[in-house]
Amino acid sequence: MMNPQRVPMPGLPSSVTIWEVGPRDGLQNESTIVPVDVKVEFIDRLAAAGLRVIEATSFVHPSWVPQLADAEDLLTRLQPAPGVRYPVLVPNDRGLDRALALGVREIAIFGSATETFAKNNLNRTVDESLRMFDPVVRRARSSGLRVRGYLSMCFGDPWEGEVPIEQVVSVARRLIDLGCDQLSLGDTIGVGTPGHVSALIRALDAAGVAPDRLAVHFHDTYGQALANTLAALQAGVSTVDASAGGLGGCPYAKSATGNLATEDLVWQLNGLGVETGVDLRALVRTSLWMAQRLGRQSPSAVVRALATEV
Amino acid sequence: MMNPQRVPMPGLPSSVTIWEVGPRDGLQNESTIVPVDVKVEFIDRLAAAGLRVIEATSFVHPSWVPQLADAEDLLTRLQPAPGVRYPVLVPNDRGLDRALALGVREIAIFGSATETFAKNNLNRTVDESLRMFDPVVRRARSSGLRVRGYLSMCFGDPWEGEVPIEQVVSVARRLIDLGCDQLSLGDTIGVGTPGHVSALIRALDAAGVAPDRLAVHFHDTYGQALANTLAALQAGVSTVDASAGGLGGCPYAKSATGNLATEDLVWQLNGLGVETGVDLRALVRTSLWMAQRLGRQSPSAVVRALATEV
């Protein structure tokens, strides 16, 4: 199997935590409903490939996301692997009740940096959504849970166009003040470029949100996800969201390409000598297996390039 | 049409010269033979979209690359646009005769950093190929032509695996000593990663080949081309090779993905506030038109994302 030569780049973190979103963010945008036992096998295979944070599912209302209507069933069947974290998305108080009842140890909430996306995705203003999240985060933390805040549309919005950096910093600051341990900066429609990434991370740092509280969540709609990742690593971020095989995407983006593929990220980090703990060969095999289940080819460049070699 | 927000990144060049390789490197790997009038229109449309260096064709023997057997016919029909350079690839003395007879002002030769690729592609050792290039470069320069040297397999070789940086520096140094004005560092199979790119450019600089004598030529086989480009810009390179619509690729790479798409590059540079002179909308329209002629979709993320918007 071809491998990149390992040549480190000064100034990068020595290791990166990959936050694997395939089972949740990836599958929720797939129209083929995947049986729960396939999902459990998918998650188990990801853990066996060395991923240490796997976002397992979401407690949104089943009518919003039919693909994830089996959240309880999935978590009941899942046998946690030692050392692996399985956060779940929780949209509101009711979702938190369901998560707590199943012994979930870590949740994520899903906020928006723009009013239009908040309205279209959450049916609320940004203020209203933060008020909705407030008791969720408080109760989660008092129950000892870790809380991640997703922040969508940080680099552009399909309805509003440009999104000012100050606006993103303002909403980010409020999510941190609510009690989020970590923020994931989402380029939901993939329009960001590396200078924008650096500038936002610097502005957040200046507002008291240090890079070690941040993750980045890039989409590859315009082919920019890995260059943006490099800029984020150079700016001190060491948690990167990715989706095995490039599963999923944003239904509001105009292209088939969605989440950064975990394999493409691991290839880059392997070349840079940045530790991830991931076995690329096992991961590619997993994505090929899932692509068969979904009946479509993986959009990941690395999965396609290595398909006959693993 | 969605555009990236313009947020410059400190330390990058203020402008980049895009060396458009679609008509030569792109088309030569396409199996559908394109009529000469379509090629002329393609080149004219690229010039009208603002590209200022367009590698037009190659004077290799017609039996090697049937797609480019019409090189004389093409150059005879082409009406040069003011301010646009039209370099051509010249493999040997005989090719230079043909180029000079047609008034070509700028040529490129095609070398290899590895013995195996030199043998497989040029049927010569590296030493023998440099001896073959010597009189070509000398005669071209004494005729007032600019000479570019392509250097293939700089970041890995499909037969040899890893390619030591010192080996690339050594061959690069010899191409410069032959009289090449510029070297294009080729990641012919797309295996490079950003630290490797930085390290090679630094090593070349230490050996007396400054970044302003360099261009980079990345393939997107493993999704790394734009991250590698960012690393090259950070290291001081300001000439980047790209292929409109992502045309072409390396026949030795195992994936359909080949050259970095010019559109994906322009999107990134637009976001970074780096001037290219290129009208992205006109360029995407050109690649959509060419994709129709070739009967296959462009692999460029930007072309696909903007297809319905231009």
Side-chain angles (χ1 to χ4, degrees):
Chain A
M1 184 175 94
M2 277 311 292
N3 284 302
Q5 281 175 235
R6 187 179 176 282
V7 188
M9 193 174 199
L12 301 190
S14 58
S15 69
V16 154
T17 300
I18 298 177
W19 187 291
E20 171 58 48
V21 300
R24 197 277 300 170
D25 187 20
L27 288 182
Q28 80 174 22
N29 288 303
E30 295 290 340
S31 50
T32 307
I33 298 289
V34 177
V36 67
D37 57 334
V38 173
K39 291 178 185 171
V40 171
E41 184 173 351
F42 183 39
I43 293 171
D44 286 347
R45 289 179 72 141
L46 292 169
L51 288 152
R52 287 296 162 262
V53 187
I54 304 170
E55 197 167 294
T57 186
S58 167
F59 284 106
V60 292
H61 194 280
S63 65
W64 296 358
V65 185
Q67 178 71 268
L68 304 183
D70 58 5
E72 264 94 359
D73 193 11
L74 173 76
L75 289 182
T76 306
R77 293 172 186 234
L78 192 66
Q79 301 285 330
V84 180
R85 296 154 52 192
Y86 299 92
V88 300
L89 192 72
V90 157
N92 50 31
D93 242 6
R94 173 77 191 102
L96 180 59
D97 291 338
R98 294 167 66 197
L100 288 172
L102 283 154
V104 163
R105 300 305 309 148
E106 187 162 355
I107 64 163
I109 58 172
F110 196 81
S112 169
T114 68
E115 290 293 346
T116 317
F117 188 64
K119 202 75 195 170
N120 288 351
N121 195 56
L122 304 168
N123 200 27
R124 280 168 177 77
T125 66
V126 169
D127 274 346
E128 286 165 355
S129 67
L130 292 170
R131 277 201 295 278
M132 173 177 73
F133 295 141
D134 182 45
V136 178
V137 177
R138 199 183 326 224
R139 197 150 58 94
R141 290 189 38 110
S142 72
S143 308
L145 271 58
R146 266 205 265 205
V147 181
R148 154 184 269 213
Y150 279 106
L151 192 52
S152 300
M153 301 297 174
C154 289
F155 298 91
D157 176 289
W159 301 280
E160 300 182 18
E162 301 211 347
V163 178
I165 284 177
E166 316 82 70
Q167 178 179 327
V168 180
V169 170
S170 164
V171 185
R173 189 63 254 180
R174 291 167 73 186
L175 283 168
I176 289 286
D177 293 342
L178 279 185
C180 289
D181 298 285
Q182 182 183 68
L183 293 186
S184 173
L185 306 173
D187 185 9
T188 319
I189 56 169
V191 297
T193 47
H196 198 171
V197 172
S198 304
L200 176 58
I201 295 167
R202 278 201 313 275
L204 284 163
D205 201 10
V209 186
D212 63 3
R213 303 283 295 271
L214 298 176
V216 285
H217 184 108
F218 295 123
H219 281 213
D220 222 9
T221 321
Y222 299 87
Q224 309 296 316
L226 273 182
N228 290 344
T229 300
L230 180 63
L233 299 179
Q234 290 176 330
V237 171
S238 61
T239 300
V240 180
D241 297 5
S243 177
L247 281 180
C250 174
Y252 305 99
K254 292 211 171 175
S255 161
T257 52
N259 285 301
L260 169 61
T262 312
E263 288 85 352
D264 299 6
L265 173 64
V266 170
W267 178 279
Q268 182 177 76
L269 296 174
N270 283 351
L272 290 166
V274 174
E275 294 302 321
T276 64
V278 174
D279 174 345
L280 183 56
R281 184 188 290 259
L283 182 58
V284 169
R285 277 200 220 103
T286 299
S287 290
L288 290 168
W289 167 85
M290 181 51 83
Q292 279 198 316
R293 299 293 162 296
L294 293 169
R296 68 177 188 85
Q297 211 194 11
S298 165
S300 158
V302 169
V303 171
R304 281 180 283 147
L306 298 182
T308 59
E309 296 186 57
V310 295
Chain B
M1 185 175 96
M2 278 312 291
N3 284 301
Q5 284 176 230
R6 187 179 175 284
V7 188
M9 193 171 197
L12 301 191
S14 59
S15 70
V16 154
T17 300
I18 298 177
W19 186 291
E20 171 60 47
V21 300
R24 197 278 301 170
D25 186 21
L27 288 183
Q28 82 174 22
N29 287 305
E30 296 289 342
S31 50
T32 308
I33 298 289
V34 178
V36 68
D37 56 335
V38 173
K39 290 179 185 169
V40 171
E41 183 173 351
F42 183 39
I43 293 171
D44 287 346
R45 289 180 71 141
L46 293 169
L51 288 153
R52 288 295 162 263
V53 187
I54 305 170
E55 195 166 297
T57 186
S58 167
F59 285 106
V60 291
H61 195 279
S63 65
W64 295 358
V65 185
Q67 178 71 267
L68 304 182
D70 58 6
E72 265 94 358
D73 193 10
L74 173 76
L75 289 182
T76 306
R77 292 172 188 234
L78 192 66
Q79 300 285 330
V84 179
R85 295 156 52 193
Y86 299 93
V88 300
L89 192 73
V90 157
N92 51 30
D93 242 5
R94 172 76 191 104
L96 180 59
D97 291 338
R98 294 167 66 198
L100 288 172
L102 283 153
V104 163
R105 301 303 309 148
E106 187 161 355
I107 64 162
I109 58 171
F110 196 81
S112 169
T114 67
E115 291 294 346
T116 316
F117 189 64
K119 203 76 194 167
N120 288 350
N121 195 54
L122 305 168
N123 200 27
R124 279 168 177 77
T125 67
V126 168
D127 275 345
E128 286 164 354
S129 67
L130 291 169
R131 278 200 294 278
M132 172 177 72
F133 295 141
D134 183 44
V136 177
V137 176
R138 201 184 324 226
R139 197 150 59 95
R141 289 188 40 108
S142 71
S143 308
L145 272 57
R146 267 205 263 205
V147 180
R148 155 182 270 214
Y150 279 105
L151 192 52
S152 299
M153 301 296 175
C154 290
F155 298 92
D157 177 289
W159 301 279
E160 299 182 18
E162 303 212 344
V163 178
I165 285 177
E166 317 80 70
Q167 178 179 328
V168 179
V169 170
S170 163
V171 184
R173 190 63 256 180
R174 292 168 73 186
L175 282 168
I176 289 286
D177 292 342
L178 280 186
C180 289
D181 299 286
Q182 184 183 68
L183 293 185
S184 174
L185 306 173
D187 185 9
T188 318
I189 55 169
V191 297
T193 48
H196 197 172
V197 172
S198 306
L200 175 58
I201 295 168
R202 278 200 313 274
L204 283 163
D205 200 10
V209 186
D212 63 3
R213 304 282 298 270
L214 298 177
V216 284
H217 184 108
F218 294 124
H219 281 212
D220 222 9
T221 320
Y222 298 85
Q224 310 295 318
L226 274 181
N228 290 343
T229 300
L230 180 63
L233 299 179
Q234 290 176 331
V237 171
S238 62
T239 299
V240 180
D241 298 3
S243 176
L247 282 179
C250 175
Y252 305 98
K254 292 212 172 176
S255 161
T257 52
N259 285 300
L260 170 60
T262 313
E263 289 85 352
D264 299 6
L265 172 64
V266 170
W267 177 280
Q268 180 177 80
L269 296 174
N270 283 350
L272 290 166
V274 174
E275 296 301 322
T276 64
V278 174
D279 175 345
L280 183 57
R281 185 188 291 260
L283 182 59
V284 170
R285 277 200 220 101
T286 300
S287 290
L288 290 169
W289 166 85
M290 181 51 84
Q292 279 198 317
R293 299 293 162 297
L294 292 170
R296 69 176 187 86
Q297 211 195 12
S298 164
S300 158
V302 169
V303 171
R304 281 180 282 147
L306 297 182
T308 59
E309 298 186 56
V310 295

